[in-house]
Amino acid sequence: MSYNNYTEKNNSAGHNDVTIKARDVSEVSYEFGKPPSRFEKFIDSFKPIDLEGDGFDTTGMTSIEKSVIASARHPLARRLKSRHLQMIAIGGSIGTGLFVGSSYALSLGGPAGMLIGYALVGYSMLCVIYSLGEMSVQFPVSGSFNAYFTRFIDDSWGWTLGLLYACSWLISFPSELIACSLTVQYWTKSVDPAVWVAIFYLIIVSINLFGVKGYGEVEFALSLIKVLAVVGFCIVGICIINGVGSQGYIGGRYWSDPGAFNHGFKGICSVFISAAFSFGGIELVALAAAETKNPRKSLPKATKQVFWRITLFYIVSTIVVGLLVPFNDERLLSGSSSEDITSSPFVIAIQNGGIKVLPHIMNAVILVAVVSVGNSSVYGCSRTLASMAAQGLIPSIFGYIDKAGRPMVAIMFTNLIGLLGFLIDSDNQDTVFTWFFSVCSLAAFFTWIFICLAHIRWRWALKSQGRSLDEVIFESPMGMFGSYSGALILILIVVGEIWVSVYPIGEDSASYMNFLQNCLSLPLLILMYVGHKTYRRSWNRIMIKLEDIDLDTGRITVDLELLKQEIADDKRWLKSQSFYYRFYRFWC
């Protein structure tokens, strides 16, 4: 049975809500009698949501067809507003990757190498987020891009990449708790670090118990603080560069001595992992698509904000840091110890300028950023697991949704793994987390590459089935070129990272152990894909045929002709506006 025939069959039977069914899962019905107390409402909210039976006939459907239907109907709460989504897009991934991870990049690649590495990853991220935005506006389904791997490529890739992505956030949670504890030690070391881990663990767990609305409000506030801090740092940094501070005029001094590059081309390749860590989480704006009140209006604006985030927050701050801190500064991280996590180049830059109060403020901002990333870790992992469960890719228990629209089992599982943060008291914590991170070292690159591939196949499927871009609500400003070029750059980055892992900086011979520590996710990716293909016995199909790809289930609007008319009206209205306004709308 083809997808289109299946859709027509259920529509003719009166089930025309096979596409997105916007249902407020926060509505809770109580028995007649005494109104329930707040405590009773809170306890009742953890009960499973009462899903209405839609009467779909799934007889004869393949596993991929069932996955598409399930992800489209998964009942996550739609409580995120436009302001939440835009702030998540602007500040959602500003965290330890930028504030602390950039010290690895500066130390290994030098200021020019760091700038080149961040610019390349930044461009590819711009392509990825626009491609992802186009698909997410069209299909704001549960799990978003994880569901697109299954829908547009193959369910084996959906399972493999979904698990790697979930593991990335799962491992990030306890590591961010440790980072919180170490960041506090900037001020005091008299308290057992495990105490701080416990405090921040309870804070992050409590936030996620409030559901997506709690996550959205907290991220709105934390992201606003991070945005203001980065803008403020860039302004102060420019002033210090031009002579305000104890060092006098700096200009491009450190680009000449000790130099613009460190370790040559290998140094640039070493920057890529730090850059990926910095940009990680940029896709959360699409992950939240299924929990947004009006994805058609809010998602395009949010995805376009990424351009400004990449330009201002990453590229500009990278230039400022490179001008203020020499790459041979002993306080910079060189990958030898996690105990120096508070030695952020942002803090060092202000210290070098002789400004006494601002380093404390900057370190407080880093603490806010770490809490934010920890909060996002629980959100990103739990939603990915819930989506995979809805698609039948992992045990269904992870798809448990309560009356408040929370994937509670997935959240509690993520919280359980977060207890690994108490390894901070272990002497072997560095070794443990080195191998943990090796599992997902290249996972972000794989995810981004396949997002571009999913977008390419979505466009190919439209053409193959005789349909046009007239029904595409939000077209990526970069178009197909963005997906092609973004995927190509990301593939080359992965190749470069493998090379520098096999032949590390400072070593003449190949290092098998260093390769495993940096690139273990590559053999795991291959092993997981082959294993799932073999288990499903689906080697007769490498990818879904273009003519069989479902272009309707989960679509944001039921009436295709009405959707085309609305899109055409919007384009005509925009064309009638001034050039300056059209230029603004193109990027914002």
Side-chain angles (χ1 to χ4, degrees):
M1 178 186 295
S2 70
Y3 291 121
N4 293 332
N5 291 338
Y6 170 75
T7 303
E8 292 171 1
K9 173 184 175 182
N10 283 280
N11 286 346
S12 63
H15 303 301
N16 58 4
D17 55 348
V18 66
T19 51
I20 278 293
K21 182 176 181 180
R23 182 169 177 265
D24 187 357
V25 296
S26 64
E27 296 178 0
V28 181
S29 298
Y30 297 96
E31 298 293 333
F32 291 104
K34 182 181 177 181
S37 64
R38 288 187 177 182
F39 179 75
E40 289 173 330
K41 288 182 179 179
F42 177 73
I43 296 299
D44 190 71
S45 70
F46 290 95
K47 295 179 181 179
I49 187 172
D50 183 20
L51 295 176
E52 298 175 357
D54 294 307
F56 294 127
D57 180 14
T58 58
T59 303
M61 294 181 65
T62 66
S63 59
I64 295 179
E65 291 171 334
K66 292 178 181 178
S67 295
V68 172
I69 296 295
S71 61
R73 296 173 56 232
H74 206 221
L76 293 174
R78 290 182 174 274
R79 295 183 182 175
L80 288 179
K81 299 179 181 178
S82 179
R83 64 181 178 88
H84 295 136
L85 208 59
Q86 291 193 43
M87 194 54 71
I88 289 173
I90 296 174
S93 66
I94 299 177
T96 50
L98 177 63
F99 290 126
V100 180
S102 55
S103 58
Y104 287 97
L106 180 58
S107 175
L108 294 174
M114 179 174 65
L115 179 60
I116 292 172
Y118 272 72
L120 285 174
V121 176
Y123 171 78
S124 62
M125 283 298 90
L126 188 63
C127 299
V128 167
I129 202 64
Y130 278 148
S131 300
L132 187 55
E134 179 177 311
M135 294 185 292
S136 297
V137 173
Q138 198 79 11
F139 306 99
V141 298
S142 173
S144 201
F145 56 86
N146 168 255
Y148 303 148
F149 300 148
T150 300
R151 177 193 287 253
F152 298 121
I153 305 176
D154 184 62
D155 59 342
S156 292
W157 284 119
W159 183 80
T160 302
L161 295 165
L163 275 186
L164 281 178
Y165 185 74
C167 284
S168 298
W169 284 120
L170 199 62
I171 294 169
S172 175
F173 184 27
S175 68
E176 295 302 327
L177 292 173
I178 291 176
C180 286
S181 178
L182 295 175
T183 304
V184 173
Q185 290 184 20
Y186 181 84
W187 295 293
T188 177
K189 296 184 179 180
S190 60
V191 180
D192 189 331
V195 174
W196 296 115
V197 169
I199 292 173
F200 288 109
Y201 177 82
L202 291 175
I203 291 173
I204 293 173
V205 168
S206 299
I207 290 171
N208 281 275
L209 286 180
F210 285 99
V212 68
K213 187 174 183 180
Y215 167 77
E217 292 293 350
V218 170
E219 276 303 297
F220 179 84
L222 297 183
S223 295
L224 183 60
I225 293 173
K226 291 186 290 184
V227 167
L228 293 176
V230 173
V231 173
F233 169 79
C234 290
I235 295 173
V236 172
I238 291 173
C239 292
I240 295 176
I241 291 169
N242 286 281
V244 177
S246 59
Q247 293 178 292
Y249 178 76
I250 298 176
R253 179 191 309 171
Y254 298 131
W255 280 58
S256 300
D257 182 20
F261 292 93
N262 191 24
H263 302 120
F265 184 65
K266 277 191 176 181
I268 297 176
C269 291
S270 300
V271 171
F272 293 143
I273 286 292
S274 296
F277 183 46
S278 298
F279 285 100
I282 203 170
E283 67 285 332
L284 278 176
V285 63
L287 195 69
E291 299 178 84
T292 306
K293 285 187 175 181
N294 189 357
R296 178 177 177 181
K297 297 296 182 183
S298 55
L299 268 172
K301 291 182 181 179
T303 52
K304 288 181 179 181
Q305 293 292 331
V306 175
F307 170 79
W308 301 108
R309 177 171 63 181
I310 290 174
T311 303
L312 177 62
F313 301 146
Y314 288 97
I315 304 302
V316 175
S317 60
T318 295
I319 294 173
V320 172
V321 165
L323 289 170
L324 289 174
V325 183
F327 68 73
N328 59 356
D329 192 305
E330 295 180 355
R331 291 167 293 178
L332 284 176
L333 291 174
S334 60
S336 59
S337 173
S338 64
E339 295 179 357
D340 298 325
I341 196 167
T342 54
S343 297
S344 162
F346 288 74
V347 175
I348 295 173
I350 297 173
Q351 287 176 336
N352 290 347
I355 304 176
K356 299 185 180 299
V357 179
L358 282 183
H360 294 279
I361 297 176
M362 202 67 223
N363 203 67
V365 172
I366 293 174
L367 182 60
V368 167
V370 174
V371 172
S372 174
V373 175
N375 188 34
S376 296
S377 298
V378 178
Y379 180 84
C381 181
S382 62
R383 269 55 181 186
T384 302
L385 291 176
S387 171
M388 293 183 68
Q391 298 172 59
L393 300 176
I394 60 175
S396 59
I397 186 63
F398 287 100
Y400 178 97
I401 305 293
D402 64 16
K403 289 184 177 181
R406 297 168 297 203
M408 188 50 63
V409 173
I411 289 175
M412 297 311 296
F413 175 75
T414 309
N415 291 340
L416 182 64
I417 301 301
L419 294 174
L420 290 174
F422 288 99
L423 285 173
I424 193 171
D425 279 340
S426 170
D427 294 333
N428 298 319
Q429 61 148 314
D430 287 346
T431 302
V432 172
F433 279 96
T434 294
W435 286 106
F436 273 160
F437 276 109
S438 68
V439 173
C440 54
S441 54
L442 297 175
F445 292 116
F446 297 144
T447 300
W448 297 333
I449 289 170
F450 276 85
I451 287 174
C452 291
L453 177 59
H455 179 251
I456 291 170
R457 287 184 56 81
W458 142 249
R459 288 288 191 95
W460 283 357
L462 277 174
K463 184 177 181 180
S464 175
Q465 297 182 26
R467 298 166 69 164
S468 69
L469 295 178
D470 292 341
E471 64 183 81
V472 178
I473 300 171
F474 166 66
E475 291 184 41
S476 165
M478 307 290 289
M480 291 283 281
F481 173 79
S483 292
Y484 285 126
S485 60
L488 177 62
I489 290 175
L490 288 168
I491 291 172
L492 293 176
I493 287 175
V494 170
V495 172
E497 180 56 32
I498 293 173
W499 172 62
V500 81
S501 296
V502 175
Y503 297 97
I505 292 174
E507 297 185 22
D508 297 328
S509 59
S511 173
Y512 174 73
M513 186 61 65
N514 191 73
F515 168 76
L516 288 180
Q517 289 180 345
N518 289 332
C519 303
L520 183 60
S521 53
L522 176 59
L524 277 178
L525 177 85
I526 298 172
L527 183 63
M528 291 167 67
Y529 173 76
V530 171
H532 190 269
K533 270 289 181 187
T534 303
Y535 174 77
R536 285 292 180 93
R537 299 178 180 178
S538 57
W539 283 108
N540 60 322
R541 183 198 67 232
I542 301 301
M543 290 188 182
I544 306 171
K545 293 181 180 179
L546 294 176
E547 57 268 24
D548 290 336
I549 290 178
D550 183 3
L551 301 178
D552 295 301
T553 303
R555 198 178 60 231
I556 199 169
T557 302
V558 177
D559 191 330
L560 184 58
E561 293 305 317
L562 177 61
L563 174 62
K564 288 182 178 181
Q565 184 60 45
E566 290 177 352
I567 294 173
D569 291 341
D570 289 342
K571 289 181 177 180
R572 279 194 296 270
W573 176 83
L574 184 61
K575 192 174 182 179
S576 66
Q577 303 302 306
S578 66
F579 167 78
Y580 301 103
Y581 183 78
R582 282 185 279 118
F583 181 82
Y584 168 78
R585 283 289 301 271
F586 182 84
W587 292 111
C588 300

